[in-house]
Amino acid sequence: MNAPHVAVIGAGVVGANIAHRLAARGARVTIFDAGSPGGGTSGSSISWLSTFPQIANATPAMVAYRRRTHERFRELEAELGGGWMHWTGTLTWANGQTAARLERDYLAMHDLGLPVRRLTADEAAAFEPGVRIPPESTVYLEDGGGWVDAPALITALLRRATDGGARVLTGTPVTSLTQSGRGWRLTTPSGEHEADVVVTAAGIWSSHVAALAGAPVPLDLRPGLIVYSSPLATALRSVLNGPELNIRPTASGGAAIHWRGEDTYTGHGYNAADPNAVFAAAAEVLPELAGGAPERASVGVRPVPPGGPVVGWHPSAPGLFIAVSHGGVGWGPRWGDIAAAAILDGEEDPRWGAFAPDRFFRSPLPAPTTTSQHALGHVPAQM
Ligand SMILES: Cc1cc2nc3c(=O)[nH]c(=O)nc-3n(C[C@H](O)[C@H](O)[C@H](O)COP(=O)(O)OP(=O)(O)OC[C@H]3O[C@@H](n4cnc5c(N)ncnc54)[C@H](O)[C@@H]3O)c2cc1C
């Protein structure tokens, strides 16, 4: 059978990973983006790759999954060439009430054999000479992970996909999706296109794009502020993970400062965010910033589906594959694997069931005596 023609809507980090994986496996791929690749949330993300303390208390399956995620980045680097992945590790600290919790998480990570070690104040100061960590803090270094230059990763993925025959149509919004024979017709301002399968990888616009096909996708949107400094005299070696700020190096030698105040756990409202105030708070950690001003600031909007990632066939629209999640930089390579296995092999691993869009539409009532293929969630046959 001919290779399927797959239309991927969205050239952010999720769509670029999926397009690359499909093209590498021989699918005919066309990528549509309303703007330019990386111009959505992927271009204003902190793009941090880390496991501590996030997986300290996770199930063994999740621990294995996250380990596999890091391995997948190593493999992707070998495939695409480097330059976009920065294996810097992360320096994490806590003080006050959160210190005891972080220490418990550290011990749990240690028992799991994950690469985190406690540093003395002197060791931390020698490791990051330009950073001032409050003296009463406990400090940990996670050796794995680091940060991803997401726009550079997208460029590398799309270059490889186009080398494999994919087409990238920028400035080309998809404005309608209609079923046509066994596939789809996509309308754009510059013309119509046919595809066997449509992948929506439209980030925060996923609900709108899937709605074009009559397929509901619930999504919360959460803005996040990042403030950028100009290049530092004492460059950062690692990602810094303090109680209120994440700070990572930038490609130009500056710092990207992510104020976590808008996260629900600190209880601040987003409107409290002020780039100058965030910059001043960062100067407590990076004294070199004192008296300076942000070079620029960005507000990215996180796509946050209720209950976690949504990756899989949509039950209301045969041949429509949805891929949207927060953490899309870290998860992206896995979404590429899952999409390629589902679309090209007809494979549905039960472990992915938790991500399936049909979770929103399962009835809590007893199953009806008659039902339609539509209600069951039709999965296209192997192509
Ligand atoms: C402040 C902040 C910090 C974050 N930190 C991290 C982190 O540390 N680690 C991590 O993994 N993730 C992090 N994230 C989340 C991560 O950035 C996102 O999950 C990821 O970038 C989403 O990528 P995407 O490809 O789904 O969406 P996007 O990058 O938004 O791409 C979607 C694309 O779809 C296109 N599009 C939309 N509608 C249409 C249409 N009708 N037709 C054609 N194209 C269309 C858009 O133009 C856009 O380019 C963070 C996000 C923010 C905001």
Side-chain angles (χ1 to χ4, degrees), residues 9-15 32-36 40-42 44-48 172-174 201-203 205 209 224 226 258 300-303 325-330:
I9 303 177
V13 72
V14 172
F32 299 81
D33 199 286
S36 55
T41 305
S42 303
S44 36
S45 170
I46 206 75
S47 308
W48 176 36
T172 309
V174 174
W205 299 276
V209 173
I226 301 181
H258 174 216
V301 182
R302 304 172 180 89
S325 71
H326 179 43
V329 179

Side-chain angles (χ1 to χ4, degrees), residues 164-214:
R167 286 195 308 154
V168 183
L169 304 180
T170 57
T172 309
V174 174
T175 54
S176 93
L177 282 170
T178 46
Q179 250 154 355
S180 150
R182 295 198 50 202
W184 290 94
R185 176 171 301 123
L186 297 87
T187 308
T188 72
S190 53
E192 297 204 325
H193 304 260
E194 302 278 337
D196 300 308
V197 168
V198 170
V199 176
T200 76
I204 58 169
W205 299 276
S206 296
S207 301
H208 302 266
V209 173
L212 298 175

Side-chain angles (χ1 to χ4, degrees), residues 91-99 101-102 132-134 136-138 240-247 258-261 263 265-266 268 285:
L91 211 55
T92 294
W93 68 91
N95 43 38
Q97 288 186 333
T98 50
R101 195 177 73 196
L102 198 63
R132 190 197 294 145
I133 295 175
E136 69 282 9
S137 310
T138 41
L240 308 178
N241 180 30
E244 291 217 317
L245 297 173
N246 278 134
I247 305 177
H258 174 216
W259 179 63
R260 297 162 66 170
D263 290 349
Y265 55 78
T266 62
H268 299 291
V285 178

Side-chain angles (χ1 to χ4, degrees), residues 9-322:
I9 303 177
V13 72
V14 172
N17 267 291
I18 292 174
H20 161 60
R21 196 52 59 206
L22 288 167
R25 297 219 21 220
R28 291 174 294 148
V29 179
T30 307
I31 305 144
F32 299 81
D33 199 286
S36 55
T41 305
S42 303
S44 36
S45 170
I46 206 75
S47 308
W48 176 36
L49 196 64
S50 135
T51 58
F52 178 67
Q54 297 88 316
I55 65 163
N57 301 300
T59 60
M62 182 52 89
V63 171
Y65 208 72
R66 289 300 287 260
R67 272 192 156 143
R68 180 76 192 111
T69 300
H70 282 205
E71 282 166 24
R72 208 69 195 86
F73 271 83
R74 295 263 181 215
E75 290 163 6
L76 203 54
E77 250 189 320
E79 260 178 77
L80 302 175
W84 49 268
M85 181 66 219
H86 302 268
W87 297 101
T88 58
T90 299
L91 211 55
T92 294
W93 68 91
N95 43 38
Q97 288 186 333
T98 50
R101 195 177 73 196
L102 198 63
E103 176 68 9
R104 274 199 305 278
D105 289 346
Y106 158 70
L107 293 172
M109 293 284 285
H110 203 257
D111 289 347
L112 290 168
L114 293 163
V116 182
R117 57 199 162 100
R118 206 190 282 113
L119 297 189
T120 64
D122 286 347
E123 285 170 335
F127 183 75
E128 282 285 15
V131 176
R132 190 197 294 145
I133 295 175
E136 69 282 9
S137 310
T138 41
V139 187
Y140 306 87
L141 177 64
E142 178 185 4
D143 281 324
W147 66 280
V148 180
D149 184 337
L153 169 59
I154 292 168
T155 301
L157 287 163
L158 293 181
R159 187 183 306 125
R160 185 53 61 93
T162 48
D163 286 351
R167 286 195 308 154
V168 183
L169 304 180
T170 57
T172 309
V174 174
T175 54
S176 93
L177 282 170
T178 46
Q179 250 154 355
S180 150
R182 295 198 50 202
W184 290 94
R185 176 171 301 123
L186 297 87
T187 308
T188 72
S190 53
E192 297 204 325
H193 304 260
E194 302 278 337
D196 300 308
V197 168
V198 170
V199 176
T200 76
I204 58 169
W205 299 276
S206 296
S207 301
H208 302 266
V209 173
L212 298 175
V217 175
L219 197 58
D220 292 335
L221 308 182
R222 283 177 45 202
L225 174 70
I226 301 181
V227 178
Y228 298 84
S229 81
S230 44
L232 299 168
T234 309
L236 285 173
R237 273 180 73 175
S238 60
V239 180
L240 308 178
N241 180 30
E244 291 217 317
L245 297 173
N246 278 134
I247 305 177
R248 66 153 168 82
T250 64
S252 59
I257 305 151
H258 174 216
W259 179 63
R260 297 162 66 170
E262 79 276 2
D263 290 349
T264 46
Y265 55 78
T266 62
H268 299 291
Y270 168 72
N271 289 336
D274 164 5
N276 291 309
V278 170
F279 198 81
E284 310 260 316
V285 178
L286 289 173
E288 193 187 323
L289 300 182
E295 189 180 71
R296 66 185 177 95
S298 67
V299 174
V301 182
R302 304 172 180 89
V304 188
V310 176
V311 182
W313 296 112
H314 199 287
S316 319
L320 183 75
F321 192 94
I322 312 287

